[in-house]
Amino acid sequence: NAGVTQTPKFQVLKTGQSMTLQCAQDMNHEYMSWYRQDPGMGLRLIHYSVGAGITDQGEVPNGYNVSRSTTEDFPLRLLSAAPSQTSVYFCASSRVYNSPLHFGNGTRLTVT
Amino acid sequence: KQEVTQIPAALSVPEGENLVLNCSFTDSAIYNLQWFRQDPGKGLTSLLLIQSSQREQTSGRLNASLDKSSGRSTLYIAASQPGDSATYLCAVDGNDMRFGAGTRLTVKP
């Protein structure tokens, strides 16, 4: 099992550009989620999904979209990048809600 | 709004010492609390998950306790080793998942 795979590892965007951060898991997990990690602030939940076709907002959803068309994939879309979105983004999954989370290795995004 | 605090922000101990990391939260209406380890440049690794109905969980040299009424959890690491050096984060799962900022642990040989 590869676990949770995130691509790309690094990305630099200009303000106003859009992009998609990819997340895939091969563990048949129902629950998937996206977080951003900023220095001194811990991780903050952006969006989550409890199963294919179901998504919901977390603590900081503005400027981000998600979709869950398959169990395996949960991409995060930045619609119009802003410098405030410079961060490290983590995708995580768990077998079901309320079970241990498995994290990917993150995508470091810089918006100039 | 759930607030999660971890004190201290950094801790340095000699190898072999037993140590306790602290996590406090403001809203006791939670489903579970998880402790994670994060190595530099890596994602988080789940160490222990305590359900809201449980008081503690153990895995090897790690023991985590949960006191919902006082809004506190502790992670006890026995006989610390240099390989335990990492940042330890707690996360509280209520209406959504809230993380503490972490405690950076250094275990010196």
Side-chain angles (χ1 to χ4, degrees), chain A:
Chain A
N1 284 351
V4 179
T5 302
Q6 291 185 240
T7 56
K9 286 183 170 51
F10 302 94
Q11 183 69 51
V12 179
L13 291 178
K14 294 188 187 303
T15 296
Q17 288 184 318
S18 63
M19 79 159 294
T20 300
L21 307 185
Q22 301 292 343
C23 175
Q25 52 88 12
D26 62 358
M27 298 173 283
N28 201 32
H29 284 175
E30 291 294 325
Y31 181 83
M32 297 185 75
S33 50
W34 277 102
Y35 303 84
R36 58 178 290 172
Q37 185 174 34
D38 301 295
M41 296 189 68
L43 280 77
R44 291 181 290 170
L45 179 64
I46 304 171
H47 285 284
Y48 65 95
S49 168
V50 297
I54 305 169
T55 63
D56 207 345
Q57 297 180 349
E59 182 184 359
V60 288
N62 292 342
Y64 308 95
N65 273 359
V66 292
S67 60
R68 184 94 180 271
S69 56
T70 67
T71 299
E72 294 78 20
D73 300 298
F74 191 44
L76 178 72
R77 297 183 186 84
L78 279 69
L79 308 173
S80 177
S84 61
Q85 294 178 305
T86 292
S87 188
V88 181
Y89 291 85
F90 288 100
C91 178
S93 73
S94 62
R95 186 176 54 83
V96 293
Y97 183 71
N98 201 25
S99 61
L101 282 171
H102 299 253
F103 278 80
N105 282 330
T107 294
R108 185 174 295 273
L109 175 68
T110 302
V111 183
T112 62

Side-chain angles (χ1 to χ4, degrees), chain B residues 1 4 11 17 24-25 38 54 69 71 76 80-81 90 100 107:
Chain B
K1 175 185 167 186
V4 182
L11 182 63
E17 191 161 299
S24 61
F25 50 95
Q38 185 175 28
Q54 298 174 318
S69 61
Y76 174 82
S80 58
Q81 304 170 358
C90 68
V107 181

